[in-house]
Amino acid sequence: MRVEAEHKVAGGKLVRVELEVEEGVIKRIKITGDFFLYPEEAVFKLEEALKGVRASSELEKLIEHELSKQGAELLGASPADIATAINKALTSIKP
Amino acid sequence: MAVDEAILTARTEGKVPNTLRLYTWKPSAVSIGFFQSLHHEVDLEECRNRGVDVVRRITGGGAVFHDSDGEVTYSVVVAEADLKRITPHSTIQESYEALCKGLLEGLKELAIAAEFKPINDILVAGRKISGSAQTRRRGIILQHGTLLLKSDIRTMFRVLKVSKEKISDKLIKEVEERVTNIYRETGRELAVEEVIGALVKGFQRALGVKLKEGELSPYELSLAEEFKHRYASKEWLELR
């Protein structure tokens, strides 16, 4: 099923996630919003890395790890903000 | 947008110098940030009806309404190493501030006291007058942004996706309180040329350089022509 969630970052930027979820597992994810990420292409690899993941408190670390692996820099939002949006979307699904 | 990228590309190949470009849009257009969702941000039907173009940038950040007679867009293409020599800095955030100084100095030319607000905004007495976005390719920075001459919040809300129920006189008033523009701050309707002249002086002073007026090179024009097709494509526009 498809779900989406928005998270307004302190400072005004927006992180939105659109997910395709099967039995609580992310099959596909799109992270959109008015934040900055350099290099920009890092977002595609991050989305790849989030496939197969469930809602958890480990999401933030996973995102942080993936971005640092790519040497990518996030501005206007943090890994925690992206994780918050994802967890919000995943937990919005009624069992 | 194709021209900005053409200058950036030509600069990475060492074929053109560091460049400041100042321009307006014809017709009016909405530009969205690289990471933004087209369908969440832009009312495409409203844009079509009003003859407003829609384009996705290669830079992040938010949606901007480029009113053909209500704003000036700037873009700076500069080698990271050159910018560092002029204004020592180490982070991307600091480079935004270093380049936005050109805008601050330009506004000062127009007797407007403005301040930089991280990440990418310029405020006058707490109200936003300008927003910028930046990317880099092979050691070259492209930073571009908008500077408002006047504000047409009503049209902006129509072409951007603000839920129609939410668009009330009250909301428009609130947003008008949060943004400002050059006409309002100077109390007169300046010619675009005057604003551009002030910005040229501002960037020269902020960066300690002497700018030389010029045209796009044939190479930049040919690159722009090539990139134009990508910017106009459905794939690029609907990338996210």
Side-chain angles (χ1 to χ4, degrees):
Chain A
M1 71 184 297
R2 292 181 56 113
V3 280
E4 66 171 76
E6 290 179 359
H7 171 60
K8 196 91 183 153
V9 179
K13 302 245 183 268
L14 175 90
V15 175
R16 180 191 295 109
V17 293
E18 293 165 64
L19 305 179
E20 223 173 274
V21 183
E22 261 172 47
E23 291 168 5
V25 175
I26 297 174
K27 291 289 162 192
R28 258 185 28 195
I29 176 167
K30 199 157 72 172
I31 304 164
T32 65
D34 56 356
F35 52 87
F36 294 95
L37 176 64
Y38 176 76
E40 287 77 15
E41 294 68 32
V43 78
F44 302 115
K45 286 188 192 157
L46 176 62
E47 289 169 347
E48 266 313 300
L50 286 165
K51 284 183 183 170
V53 164
R54 295 177 175 275
S56 83
S57 53
E58 300 296 306
L59 268 180
E60 179 185 346
K61 266 191 202 139
L62 196 149
I63 295 164
E64 206 173 284
H65 174 74
E66 182 58 30
L67 291 178
S68 79
K69 203 169 81 187
Q70 296 186 48
E73 194 173 326
L74 198 55
L75 263 151
S78 65
D81 292 318
I82 298 176
T84 300
I86 296 172
N87 280 326
K88 205 163 156 184
L90 287 173
T91 52
S92 73
I93 301 169
K94 302 244 157 39
Chain B
M1 291 291 97
V3 171
D4 280 3
E5 191 178 343
I7 301 171
L8 171 64
T9 304
R11 182 68 188 84
T12 62
E13 295 168 0
K15 291 184 173 151
V16 297
N18 297 326
T19 302
L20 168 68
R21 174 180 179 228
L22 296 158
Y23 57 105
T24 57
W25 296 61
K26 206 172 182 185
S28 297
V30 170
S31 77
I32 58 171
F34 180 83
F35 304 104
Q36 287 191 295
S37 160
L38 174 71
H39 294 284
H40 281 91
E41 303 296 337
V42 185
D43 188 329
L44 291 169
E45 201 187 325
E46 195 70 40
C47 287
R48 240 190 330 269
N49 292 341
R50 290 169 184 261
V52 170
D53 272 352
V54 183
V55 66
R56 180 182 297 279
R57 301 190 304 266
I58 54 170
T59 52
V64 178
F65 174 51
H66 303 270
D67 188 352
S68 64
D69 62 353
E71 68 89 65
V72 171
T73 304
Y74 81 96
S75 73
V76 181
V77 172
V78 59
E80 270 179 64
D82 293 340
L83 186 64
K84 276 190 176 147
R85 240 191 334 269
I86 299 165
T87 56
H89 67 271
S90 50
T91 64
I92 290 180
Q93 178 65 78
E94 285 165 355
S95 70
Y96 269 100
E97 184 161 9
L99 289 171
C100 280
K101 274 219 175 81
L103 297 174
L104 294 182
E105 291 293 326
L107 288 168
K108 211 187 271 177
E109 281 291 319
L110 301 171
I112 299 171
E115 55 173 345
F116 175 75
K117 181 178 172 253
I119 299 161
N120 56 334
D121 290 338
I122 287 179
L123 310 182
V124 178
R127 297 188 173 115
K128 182 166 171 173
I129 196 166
S130 167
S132 295
Q134 183 189 114
T135 188
R136 289 149 189 246
R137 299 264 192 283
R138 292 161 53 193
I140 309 294
I141 299 171
L142 162 66
Q143 181 169 310
H144 49 200
T146 180
L147 181 60
L148 286 175
L149 298 178
K150 61 179 186 186
S151 322
D152 184 354
I153 306 293
R154 212 168 275 274
T155 305
M156 187 181 91
F157 276 179
R158 288 288 163 189
V159 295
L160 299 181
K161 260 203 186 145
V162 180
S163 80
K164 300 298 174 243
E165 296 81 62
K166 264 205 210 159
I167 304 178
S168 60
D169 290 344
K170 185 170 163 271
L171 179 70
I172 288 171
K173 263 245 141 54
E174 277 169 22
V175 174
E176 275 170 352
E177 282 310 302
R178 289 204 303 269
V179 298
T180 190
N181 55 68
I182 287 184
Y183 291 175
R184 174 162 157 183
E185 295 301 326
T186 57
R188 62 193 179 98
E189 295 198 7
L190 286 73
V192 171
E193 292 72 28
E194 188 178 347
V195 176
I196 286 177
L199 289 173
V200 170
K201 279 189 193 160
F203 274 96
Q204 291 192 138
R205 197 158 54 222
L207 300 177
V209 292
K210 182 90 187 98
L211 294 163
K212 214 173 84 190
E213 202 175 327
E215 298 287 321
L216 292 168
S217 67
Y219 183 60
E220 287 169 311
L221 287 171
S222 74
L223 283 177
E225 197 55 38
E226 182 190 326
F227 296 160
K228 214 166 76 180
H229 301 291
R230 170 162 38 85
Y231 280 98
S233 73
K234 204 167 137 67
E235 291 71 30
W236 175 252
L237 189 62
E238 294 177 357
L239 182 68
R240 307 184 73 66

